[in-house]
Amino acid sequence: FLSDMGTVQFIEFDYTEFSGGIPELPDSLTDFSCIFCNLSGNIDNLTTSEAGLSTIYLSGNFLTGAIPAIAMQEANPGITIFQVEGNDLWETTIPEYMCTRADAFNMDDDEENDITIGADVNVCENSCCTCVSSDCGWEVDDPLSPAPTEAPAPVVGGFCFSGSNTVHVQGSGLVKMADLSIGDKVMVRNDYDKLYESIYSFGHKEDNVSTEYLRVTTAGKLSPLEISSAHMVATKEGRMVPASTIRIGDELQTGTAGNTAIVKNIRVVTRQGAYAPFTASGKIIVNDILASNYIAYEESEYLSIGTEVQTPFTYQWIAHTFNSFHRLVMLLGKSGIISEKNNETYTPSGVSHWVDMPHRAFSWVLQQNSVVASVLIFTSLLFFASVSILEKVLLFVLNNNSFFLFMIAIGGAIVLKLNTSFRKKIHGGNN
C-alpha cells in the first residue's frame, strides 16, 4: 500500500509490527522511519524512491545482507541520517559517499547540519559511524516480542532455544523448535554420513514463558541462532562453551564437520516459549549450528569449585554423564527389561522432572564451600560414570542383537560369584 501513496514525503511506522521486508517506497518519499518494526530481508528497496531519501531510521529490525553502496549513492545522494543499528547486517560497511558527506558536514560547529550514521560494531569497524549500537539512542532489544497473556512462569536456569529456531527432522525437513515432539529424529551431524537421533525428552518445553535469548548472527546464515546465554554451542575447535562467552569474530562449528561460521552480530531479544530437546549424543544442529543439549553453570567450558578447585571436567561431559540414568531407563524400557511407560512429566513451568531436581541440587552444591562441594560432586560423578558405562554396554548389546549373549554373560557372572563364595565356605570349613 505504500507505493500507492503518491505524494507522501514522510513516513513513520516506529514500533509497528510488520511481516516481511522493506516494501517498495513511494517515488515522493524523502524521510522513512520504521524502528523496531520486525522488518526482515535485505535493504535494497531503500533505493526505490525517485525523490531520494534524506533520513532513514531502521534501528532494531532483523534486516540482513549488505548495504548496496552504489545503488544507495545513486538513489539517496543527499542522505543526512542513516541509522541501521540493531540489525543483522554482515560483511558490509558504511558506503564511502556517506563517510565523505559526514566528514564535510561535521567539521563545523553547526550541529543542525551534522550527518548521523549509526550501525553495529561489525559494520562500523574501520568506518565512519558517528554512533555505534545503543549509543545511537535506541536500546537494541526487542519490544515487539509478544507478551504472555498471564504472568510469565519462572524460567529455571535458562537451558533452552527459542521456538523460532529450526532443526532438520528426518522425513519432514526443517521444523520449528516449537513444533518438535518426543520421538522426532533430528539431525545431529550433517556430512558424508548424516546422522539423526530421536528426541527422548525435553529438558524444558513451555509455550507461554517469556525468555531472554542471545540472537547470534553468523556469516552466510539467513536465520540467526536464538539461544539462552548459559546454553552451550560448539566452537571451531569442537569445544562446547556457553553462548554468553561467544564474541563477534568467533567461529562456530556448523552442522557439517570441518565447516565454521563467523559470528557477525550478537543481540539480546525476548521471545515467548522455551524448548530444550534431548538426544542420545547430547548434541543437536540448530539453524545449521552445532549446539549442545545442555547448559554451563559458569561462564566457562570447565567446572570450577569455588576459587580453589579447577577441575578437568567439561560441563558437556558432566551434564551428559548425569543424564545417563535417564537414558538408561529409556533403554531398559525399549528393550523390555522393565515396563515401558511414559516417564516424561514436567513442572508447571515446563521443566522436566528428570532435570528440575538435579538442576536445583547441583546449583545448591555449587554454593557450598569447596570441601563439601568437592566431596558431593566427585561422589556423584563416580556413581553416574558407572551408570554411563552400563548404558554404553546395554546400548552395544541392543545394537548388535546380542541380548541373549548379554543375559548369558550376566548369568555366568552370577554363577561364578556364587561358585567362588561356595568354594570359600567349603575351604574355610575344612580348615
Side-chain angles (χ1 to χ4, degrees), residues 323-345:
N323 275 279
S324 61
F325 186 77
H326 188 182
R327 295 193 301 272
L328 180 61
V329 171
M330 301 295 292
L331 280 175
L332 292 173
K334 290 182 178 180
S335 64
I337 298 176
I338 64 173
S339 174
E340 185 175 11
K341 59 182 180 180
N342 182 15
N343 293 305
E344 294 302 313
T345 58

mmCIF file of all heavy atoms in Angstrom, residues 323-345:
data_model
loop_
_atom_site.group_PDB
_atom_site.id
_atom_site.type_symbol
_atom_site.label_atom_id
_atom_site.label_comp_id
_atom_site.label_asym_id
_atom_site.label_seq_id
_atom_site.Cartn_x
_atom_site.Cartn_y
_atom_site.Cartn_z
ATOM 1 N N ASN A 323 22.931 -37.274 32.823
ATOM 2 C CA ASN A 323 21.709 -37.683 32.126
ATOM 3 C C ASN A 323 21.717 -39.144 31.703
ATOM 4 O O ASN A 323 20.741 -39.636 31.133
ATOM 5 C CB ASN A 323 21.480 -36.795 30.901
ATOM 6 C CG ASN A 323 20.753 -35.510 31.241
ATOM 7 O OD1 ASN A 323 19.534 -35.489 31.373
ATOM 8 N ND2 ASN A 323 21.500 -34.443 31.398
ATOM 9 N N SER A 324 22.825 -39.861 31.979
ATOM 10 C CA SER A 324 22.918 -41.264 31.577
ATOM 11 C C SER A 324 21.865 -42.124 32.279
ATOM 12 O O SER A 324 21.376 -43.101 31.705
ATOM 13 C CB SER A 324 24.323 -41.808 31.866
ATOM 14 O OG SER A 324 24.607 -41.738 33.255
ATOM 15 N N PHE A 325 21.502 -41.781 33.521
ATOM 16 C CA PHE A 325 20.496 -42.557 34.234
ATOM 17 C C PHE A 325 19.145 -42.476 33.519
ATOM 18 O O PHE A 325 18.440 -43.482 33.379
ATOM 19 C CB PHE A 325 20.364 -42.059 35.678
ATOM 20 C CG PHE A 325 19.454 -42.908 36.515
ATOM 21 C CD1 PHE A 325 19.881 -44.123 37.008
ATOM 22 C CD2 PHE A 325 18.165 -42.500 36.800
ATOM 23 C CE1 PHE A 325 19.047 -44.930 37.775
ATOM 24 C CE2 PHE A 325 17.310 -43.292 37.558
ATOM 25 C CZ PHE A 325 17.755 -44.512 38.049
ATOM 26 N N HIS A 326 18.786 -41.285 33.061
ATOM 27 C CA HIS A 326 17.539 -41.096 32.315
ATOM 28 C C HIS A 326 17.568 -41.917 31.027
ATOM 29 O O HIS A 326 16.619 -42.631 30.699
ATOM 30 C CB HIS A 326 17.356 -39.611 32.016
ATOM 31 C CG HIS A 326 16.028 -39.278 31.413
ATOM 32 N ND1 HIS A 326 15.689 -37.993 31.034
ATOM 33 C CD2 HIS A 326 14.960 -40.044 31.096
ATOM 34 C CE1 HIS A 326 14.457 -38.004 30.536
ATOM 35 N NE2 HIS A 326 13.999 -39.227 30.556
ATOM 36 N N ARG A 327 18.681 -41.845 30.311
ATOM 37 C CA ARG A 327 18.796 -42.584 29.044
ATOM 38 C C ARG A 327 18.777 -44.094 29.290
ATOM 39 O O ARG A 327 18.223 -44.855 28.497
ATOM 40 C CB ARG A 327 20.073 -42.176 28.304
ATOM 41 C CG ARG A 327 20.074 -40.715 27.841
ATOM 42 C CD ARG A 327 21.206 -40.457 26.858
ATOM 43 N NE ARG A 327 22.503 -40.751 27.449
ATOM 44 C CZ ARG A 327 23.221 -39.892 28.146
ATOM 45 N NH1 ARG A 327 22.759 -38.662 28.363
ATOM 46 N NH2 ARG A 327 24.393 -40.237 28.650
ATOM 47 N N LEU A 328 19.395 -44.529 30.401
ATOM 48 C CA LEU A 328 19.407 -45.952 30.722
ATOM 49 C C LEU A 328 17.989 -46.460 30.979
ATOM 50 O O LEU A 328 17.618 -47.547 30.514
ATOM 51 C CB LEU A 328 20.290 -46.204 31.942
ATOM 52 C CG LEU A 328 20.399 -47.665 32.405
ATOM 53 C CD1 LEU A 328 21.002 -48.525 31.299
ATOM 54 C CD2 LEU A 328 21.233 -47.758 33.676
ATOM 55 N N VAL A 329 17.196 -45.693 31.710
ATOM 56 C CA VAL A 329 15.803 -46.075 31.966
ATOM 57 C C VAL A 329 15.042 -46.199 30.650
ATOM 58 O O VAL A 329 14.258 -47.135 30.449
ATOM 59 C CB VAL A 329 15.123 -45.059 32.913
ATOM 60 C CG1 VAL A 329 13.615 -45.325 32.998
ATOM 61 C CG2 VAL A 329 15.740 -45.117 34.293
ATOM 62 N N MET A 330 15.280 -45.252 29.728
ATOM 63 C CA MET A 330 14.613 -45.312 28.430
ATOM 64 C C MET A 330 15.030 -46.563 27.662
ATOM 65 O O MET A 330 14.201 -47.236 27.036
ATOM 66 C CB MET A 330 14.959 -44.064 27.612
ATOM 67 C CG MET A 330 14.574 -42.747 28.262
ATOM 68 S SD MET A 330 12.794 -42.536 28.447
ATOM 69 C CE MET A 330 12.288 -42.388 26.752
ATOM 70 N N LEU A 331 16.322 -46.915 27.712
ATOM 71 C CA LEU A 331 16.811 -48.102 27.020
ATOM 72 C C LEU A 331 16.214 -49.371 27.615
ATOM 73 O O LEU A 331 15.809 -50.294 26.889
ATOM 74 C CB LEU A 331 18.341 -48.170 27.111
ATOM 75 C CG LEU A 331 19.132 -47.297 26.142
ATOM 76 C CD1 LEU A 331 20.623 -47.391 26.458
ATOM 77 C CD2 LEU A 331 18.884 -47.739 24.708
ATOM 78 N N LEU A 332 16.157 -49.435 28.939
ATOM 79 C CA LEU A 332 15.603 -50.611 29.596
ATOM 80 C C LEU A 332 14.132 -50.790 29.245
ATOM 81 O O LEU A 332 13.642 -51.912 29.075
ATOM 82 C CB LEU A 332 15.776 -50.499 31.115
ATOM 83 C CG LEU A 332 17.213 -50.582 31.628
ATOM 84 C CD1 LEU A 332 17.273 -50.275 33.119
ATOM 85 C CD2 LEU A 332 17.818 -51.958 31.345
ATOM 86 N N GLY A 333 13.417 -49.668 29.119
ATOM 87 C CA GLY A 333 12.015 -49.736 28.729
ATOM 88 C C GLY A 333 11.854 -50.231 27.305
ATOM 89 O O GLY A 333 11.013 -51.092 27.018
ATOM 90 N N LYS A 334 12.675 -49.710 26.387
ATOM 91 C CA LYS A 334 12.568 -50.117 24.987
ATOM 92 C C LYS A 334 12.977 -51.569 24.778
ATOM 93 O O LYS A 334 12.475 -52.244 23.868
ATOM 94 C CB LYS A 334 13.427 -49.198 24.110
ATOM 95 C CG LYS A 334 12.870 -47.782 23.983
ATOM 96 C CD LYS A 334 13.738 -46.931 23.069
ATOM 97 C CE LYS A 334 13.140 -45.531 22.914
ATOM 98 N NZ LYS A 334 13.959 -44.677 22.040
ATOM 99 N N SER A 335 13.899 -52.069 25.602
ATOM 100 C CA SER A 335 14.373 -53.449 25.451
ATOM 101 C C SER A 335 13.441 -54.449 26.105
ATOM 102 O O SER A 335 13.603 -55.652 25.938
ATOM 103 C CB SER A 335 15.772 -53.583 26.058
ATOM 104 O OG SER A 335 15.729 -53.344 27.468
ATOM 105 N N GLY A 336 12.459 -53.962 26.876
ATOM 106 C CA GLY A 336 11.516 -54.849 27.532
ATOM 107 C C GLY A 336 11.985 -55.357 28.875
ATOM 108 O O GLY A 336 11.313 -56.169 29.510
ATOM 109 N N ILE A 337 13.150 -54.911 29.327
ATOM 110 C CA ILE A 337 13.666 -55.362 30.619
ATOM 111 C C ILE A 337 12.806 -54.825 31.749
ATOM 112 O O ILE A 337 12.577 -55.483 32.755
ATOM 113 C CB ILE A 337 15.142 -54.934 30.783
ATOM 114 C CG1 ILE A 337 15.981 -55.597 29.694
ATOM 115 C CG2 ILE A 337 15.669 -55.309 32.164
ATOM 116 C CD1 ILE A 337 17.433 -55.168 29.695
ATOM 117 N N ILE A 338 12.329 -53.587 31.600
ATOM 118 C CA ILE A 338 11.385 -53.024 32.550
ATOM 119 C C ILE A 338 10.155 -52.576 31.773
ATOM 120 O O ILE A 338 10.167 -52.499 30.542
ATOM 121 C CB ILE A 338 11.982 -51.829 33.335
ATOM 122 C CG1 ILE A 338 12.307 -50.666 32.370
ATOM 123 C CG2 ILE A 338 13.220 -52.238 34.112
ATOM 124 C CD1 ILE A 338 12.748 -49.397 33.084
ATOM 125 N N SER A 339 9.102 -52.270 32.480
ATOM 126 C CA SER A 339 7.870 -51.825 31.834
ATOM 127 C C SER A 339 8.100 -50.471 31.171
ATOM 128 O O SER A 339 8.589 -49.527 31.809
ATOM 129 C CB SER A 339 6.747 -51.720 32.869
ATOM 130 O OG SER A 339 5.578 -51.161 32.284
ATOM 131 N N GLU A 340 7.780 -50.381 29.887
ATOM 132 C CA GLU A 340 7.947 -49.127 29.162
ATOM 133 C C GLU A 340 6.693 -48.288 29.333
ATOM 134 O O GLU A 340 5.616 -48.625 28.857
ATOM 135 C CB GLU A 340 8.194 -49.377 27.672
ATOM 136 C CG GLU A 340 8.496 -48.094 26.896
ATOM 137 C CD GLU A 340 8.861 -48.365 25.453
ATOM 138 O OE1 GLU A 340 8.685 -49.503 24.998
ATOM 139 O OE2 GLU A 340 9.320 -47.425 24.780
ATOM 140 N N LYS A 341 6.808 -47.208 30.048
ATOM 141 C CA LYS A 341 5.684 -46.319 30.253
ATOM 142 C C LYS A 341 6.157 -44.888 30.123
ATOM 143 O O LYS A 341 7.358 -44.613 30.062
ATOM 144 C CB LYS A 341 5.058 -46.550 31.635
ATOM 145 C CG LYS A 341 6.024 -46.338 32.802
ATOM 146 C CD LYS A 341 5.342 -46.639 34.119
ATOM 147 C CE LYS A 341 6.302 -46.425 35.293
ATOM 148 N NZ LYS A 341 5.662 -46.705 36.604
ATOM 149 N N ASN A 342 5.241 -43.974 30.078
ATOM 150 C CA ASN A 342 5.572 -42.568 29.890
ATOM 151 C C ASN A 342 6.159 -41.992 31.180
ATOM 152 O O ASN A 342 5.464 -41.776 32.160
ATOM 153 C CB ASN A 342 4.321 -41.782 29.495
ATOM 154 C CG ASN A 342 4.632 -40.310 29.229
ATOM 155 O OD1 ASN A 342 5.798 -39.949 29.071
ATOM 156 N ND2 ASN A 342 3.609 -39.483 29.172
ATOM 157 N N ASN A 343 7.480 -41.814 31.164
ATOM 158 C CA ASN A 343 8.167 -41.255 32.318
ATOM 159 C C ASN A 343 8.394 -39.754 32.187
ATOM 160 O O ASN A 343 9.112 -39.170 32.981
ATOM 161 C CB ASN A 343 9.516 -41.957 32.516
ATOM 162 C CG ASN A 343 9.361 -43.410 32.903
ATOM 163 O OD1 ASN A 343 8.689 -43.727 33.874
ATOM 164 N ND2 ASN A 343 9.970 -44.308 32.122
ATOM 165 N N GLU A 344 7.801 -39.147 31.165
ATOM 166 C CA GLU A 344 8.032 -37.727 30.907
ATOM 167 C C GLU A 344 6.956 -36.874 31.572
ATOM 168 O O GLU A 344 5.820 -36.819 31.102
ATOM 169 C CB GLU A 344 8.061 -37.468 29.395
ATOM 170 C CG GLU A 344 9.235 -38.106 28.685
ATOM 171 C CD GLU A 344 10.574 -37.649 29.237
ATOM 172 O OE1 GLU A 344 10.748 -36.431 29.415
ATOM 173 O OE2 GLU A 344 11.424 -38.505 29.506
ATOM 174 N N THR A 345 7.310 -36.254 32.657
ATOM 175 C CA THR A 345 6.416 -35.319 33.343
ATOM 176 C C THR A 345 7.166 -34.016 33.552
ATOM 177 O O THR A 345 8.401 -34.004 33.606
ATOM 178 C CB THR A 345 5.937 -35.878 34.693
ATOM 179 O OG1 THR A 345 7.082 -36.168 35.513
ATOM 180 C CG2 THR A 345 5.110 -37.146 34.495
#
